[in-house]
Amino acid sequence: MKIVAKKKLWKYLFWLGPFLITVGLTVGLVSQQWGLIPLAFLIAGIVISGLGIIWQSYQSNWWRRRSTQAGTNALVATLAVLAILGLINFLGTRYHLRADLTETQLFTLAPQSRELVRVLPQPVKVWVFDINQNPQDRELLENYQRQSSKFKYEYIDPQTRPGLAEKFGVKDYGEVYLESGDKRQLVQTVNENERLSEVRLTSRLQQLTNSTTAKVYLLQGHGERQLSPGKGAISQAIQGLGDKNFTTSPLNLGETSKVPEDAAVVIVAGPKRGLFEGEVKALQEYLNRGGNLLLMIDPNTDPKVDSLLQEWGVRLDNRLAVDVSGESVVGLGPATPLVTEYGQHPITKDFRNGNSFYPIARPLEISSVPGVEATPLLRTKPYPKSWAESDLQSEKLEFNADKDLKGPLTLGVALTRKAVKSASTPQAAPTPLPLPSPTTQSKASPTPTASPAPLAPTPSPTPSSQTATESRLVVLGNSNFATDGLFQQQLNGDVFLNSVTWLSQQEKQPLSIRPKEPKNRRITLTTTQANLLILSSLLVLPLIGFAIAVIIWWKRR
């Protein structure tokens, strides 16, 4: 009797463990302070409960039972799975790993957007005045926010906070504003049909954070590309320059006879007629005092700038660049070279093997000139994929070894030269950027048409007794690539904008690939095609499935 009473006493005593645990949890949760008293109750309860479990298992041989062993294994496996899941969730919260499998990397910020946000000089906030929070827009804003703690965003209901809406001048739901310090700017208005655009947000962010502007002049008077919208115009390129905080103006050197002092870059886009000798001399003087010039010269034209280009070691080849590599892949004709090889230069540093194309282009010949650094930007495929065609009237383009030049061809080149001036002469050009450290000497073969220039040049020494300002020149054997419609295709717009940005010598202007808009993949069907699709999906396919089922049933019967 004493042994039985002792066993019951121990049994009741062990119930004290759960009671003490309950008391400790209650005290801690109510007081919201896990001090000495709740911890003492918890520890005592856990110890007593553990001793009780051990005592009960010893008395009843509980651990030796098969059911106990199976249950223990299941419990251990469950705890192990929970521990693994907890570890995965902890690592997922601590370290973000994302994979974007869309064709255009729609859910991944472009390099320019990431670079711009990471170097924000001051906090920036996006205000979205809308009731509905579109998941796609939120994902884009969160992608920006992951790049820097200085980027924030917030959704606002204009009805609940009318004062804030009035402060920004909100007129309708869906308006998105960007704010930095005391500056505010409307980005766009989003709705069901138009989602928040990375292109617009990055452009407005760049305008808002970059207080400096650069003046770009576009030469006119010789049949150059039209600046306003129209056939063969470059209005989209002009808009792109505006988005990057450049101001543009036309320039007629026949009237002014001198490039304005505030010109950061001068662009000559596809002249059809030759420049006057005085105009060419004005451009030469502009380069000599540290100016920056972009020449885009099409085939079958003679802009009369040979004397200027000769000083830089560039000659315009009168032949036509032919490339058959893109004919079968992307449907481009042989007179539209497809470029996937780029020089090692800030203009093309992020292009990798991306595509850009140049309808009706001419090759460039590059020779070594003392004091000039030349870096080819655009290269075509080697022969037999590309060559320079001399017979421009032939309907069938074929390589002629006597007259034509084997590829690869150079379609674009970037050049730098030290504009040497006396120390007392005032500097009109912007402060130059340091060039990337080149490793190889720029060379050319004795016959420039036989071999293109290498990709990395070596700078020449500058006299220490004088002040040197760098002048820059970019020559492209095509202007069609920057025209409306083609400007937004592939990397065409990036080649143009990065060339102007590099020429402007602005440290705060990022050189990278612009964000891309999502591709429109809607299928447009005629009435006949739509009816055929409905008939095949609702009638033909079900009948085929039913017939197959009947045949299988008949064979198994």
Side-chain angles (χ1 to χ4, degrees):
M1 292 293 293
K2 289 183 178 180
I3 296 176
V4 174
K6 188 176 181 180
K7 288 182 178 180
K8 287 183 178 181
L9 180 62
W10 277 104
K11 183 178 180 180
Y12 292 130
L13 183 62
F14 288 134
W15 279 106
L16 185 61
F19 173 75
L20 294 176
I21 292 176
T22 305
V23 172
L25 290 174
T26 303
V27 172
L29 293 174
V30 171
S31 64
Q32 296 184 353
Q33 293 181 357
W34 299 91
L36 180 61
I37 295 177
L39 289 177
F41 279 110
L42 286 173
I43 294 173
I46 292 172
V47 170
I48 293 174
S49 298
L51 292 175
I53 293 172
I54 295 173
W55 172 261
Q56 289 292 337
S57 62
Y58 175 76
Q59 292 294 326
S60 59
N61 293 325
W62 184 71
W63 288 106
R64 297 181 181 179
R65 296 177 186 175
R66 182 174 297 177
S67 59
T68 302
Q69 294 175 356
T72 303
N73 291 335
L75 179 62
V76 171
T78 302
L79 293 176
V81 170
L82 292 175
I84 293 173
L85 291 176
L87 180 61
I88 293 174
N89 277 276
F90 169 76
L91 294 176
T93 305
R94 191 76 176 270
Y95 306 100
H96 298 283
L97 180 62
R98 297 161 51 83
D100 189 353
L101 303 180
T102 57
E103 179 186 358
T104 58
Q105 297 294 289
L106 185 60
F107 301 104
T108 302
L109 292 182
Q112 179 178 345
S113 300
R114 296 198 300 267
E115 182 181 354
L116 188 63
V117 177
R118 287 172 182 170
V119 297
L120 284 175
Q122 57 185 352
V124 172
K125 189 168 185 178
V126 175
W127 299 88
V128 184
F129 292 90
D130 202 355
I131 300 176
N132 302 317
Q133 299 186 17
N134 183 272
Q136 183 177 334
D137 294 348
R138 285 187 62 92
E139 178 69 20
L140 177 61
L141 292 170
E142 288 174 2
N143 282 341
Y144 277 93
Q145 190 169 269
R146 291 187 187 100
Q147 309 304 319
S148 172
S149 59
K150 294 182 179 180
F151 186 95
K152 303 292 182 182
Y153 74 92
E154 185 176 350
Y155 277 83
I156 299 296
D157 182 358
Q159 296 294 334
T160 58
R161 299 182 66 179
L164 185 61
E166 184 178 356
K167 174 183 175 183
F168 280 85
V170 177
K171 299 178 181 179
D172 196 4
Y173 284 100
E175 293 186 3
V176 181
Y177 284 85
L178 196 60
E179 182 181 33
S180 178
D182 57 350
K183 299 180 181 179
R184 303 182 188 90
Q185 189 170 18
L186 176 66
V187 178
Q188 70 177 105
T189 302
V190 297
N191 51 51
E192 294 181 358
N193 299 321
E194 184 177 2
R195 302 306 340 145
L196 185 60
S197 167
E198 181 189 351
V199 174
R200 296 184 183 179
L201 185 54
T202 296
S203 298
R204 299 298 180 269
L205 185 62
Q206 191 170 29
Q207 292 177 3
L208 198 66
T209 56
N210 186 11
S211 58
T212 60
T213 60
K215 194 66 174 290
V216 175
Y217 286 91
L218 294 103
L219 192 65
Q220 299 288 285
H222 317 89
E224 287 88 356
R225 295 289 177 179
Q226 182 178 325
L227 306 185
S228 58
K231 184 178 180 181
I234 57 172
S235 62
Q236 292 179 342
I238 300 300
Q239 178 62 43
L241 291 175
D243 291 340
K244 292 179 72 66
N245 228 25
F246 289 102
T247 57
T248 58
S249 296
L251 173 64
N252 193 326
L253 288 176
E255 298 175 353
T256 62
S257 72
K258 183 181 180 181
V259 177
E261 295 292 335
D262 63 345
V265 182
V266 174
I267 300 175
V268 182
K272 294 181 174 60
R273 298 181 295 275
L275 278 67
F276 291 117
E277 184 178 348
E279 293 177 305
V280 177
K281 185 175 294 186
L283 292 176
Q284 290 175 313
E285 292 175 354
Y286 170 65
L287 288 172
N288 290 338
R289 68 173 192 256
N292 309 285
L293 180 63
L294 171 60
L295 293 176
M296 301 190 295
I297 312 297
D298 296 310
N300 294 325
T301 60
D302 184 11
K304 306 296 185 182
V305 292
D306 293 341
S307 59
L308 183 151
L309 293 176
Q310 186 177 4
E311 297 178 359
W312 293 76
V314 179
R315 192 178 79 85
L316 299 173
D317 196 315
N318 292 323
R319 288 170 284 200
L320 177 68
V322 175
D323 182 4
V324 297
S325 62
E327 196 169 4
S328 58
V329 180
V330 292
L332 298 176
T336 304
L338 177 68
V339 173
T340 58
E341 181 182 348
Y342 304 93
Q344 298 178 1
H345 192 272
I347 294 176
T348 54
K349 67 176 181 178
D350 289 323
F351 286 7
R352 297 182 179 88
N353 60 344
N355 297 321
S356 59
F357 55 94
Y358 306 86
I360 316 298
R362 71 194 306 167
L364 307 175
E365 300 173 5
I366 306 170
S367 57
S368 178
V369 172
V372 175
E373 302 174 13
T375 304
L377 299 176
L378 312 171
R379 286 277 185 82
T380 64
K381 306 281 191 307
Y383 179 80
K385 294 293 185 180
S386 72
W387 68 89
E389 176 65 44
S390 57
D391 188 1
L392 304 183
Q393 305 301 324
S394 176
E395 296 182 0
K396 188 176 182 180
L397 300 175
E398 293 180 342
F399 179 75
N400 188 327
D402 296 332
K403 300 179 180 179
D404 300 338
L405 172 66
K406 293 183 179 181
L409 308 173
T410 299
L411 303 183
V413 62
L415 308 105
T416 59
R417 186 181 67 183
K418 299 299 181 182
V420 180
K421 307 171 68 176
S422 63
S424 60
T425 304
Q427 301 274 344
T431 304
L433 288 175
L435 287 175
S437 300
T439 55
T440 18
Q441 175 70 29
S442 176
K443 297 178 181 179
S445 61
T447 305
T449 58
S451 174
L455 296 181
T458 300
S460 60
T462 303
S464 57
S465 60
Q466 294 175 312
T467 303
T469 302
E470 185 178 86
S471 56
R472 297 180 176 183
L473 173 66
V474 172
V475 184
L476 304 175
N478 180 262
S479 67
N480 284 312
F481 79 98
T483 56
D484 294 353
L486 299 182
F487 177 81
Q488 295 179 336
Q489 300 294 322
Q490 301 297 324
L491 296 176
N492 287 13
D494 300 304
V495 172
F496 176 84
L497 292 178
N498 281 9
S499 296
V500 177
T501 303
W502 177 75
L503 287 170
S504 69
Q505 305 190 38
Q506 293 189 87
E507 296 183 4
K508 295 183 179 180
Q509 283 279 16
L511 283 160
S512 187
I513 298 178
R514 294 174 297 122
K516 298 296 187 293
E517 295 283 14
K519 290 185 177 181
N520 184 4
R521 300 197 176 280
R522 297 175 182 172
I523 300 177
T524 304
L525 300 177
T526 63
T527 304
T528 304
Q529 292 173 332
N531 293 334
L532 182 61
L533 181 62
I534 294 173
L535 183 65
S536 62
S537 59
L538 298 182
L539 183 61
V540 177
L541 292 179
L543 286 177
I544 292 175
F546 181 73
I548 294 174
V550 170
I551 293 172
I552 295 175
W553 172 80
W554 183 262
K555 286 185 176 182
R556 291 182 177 180
R557 180 172 173 268

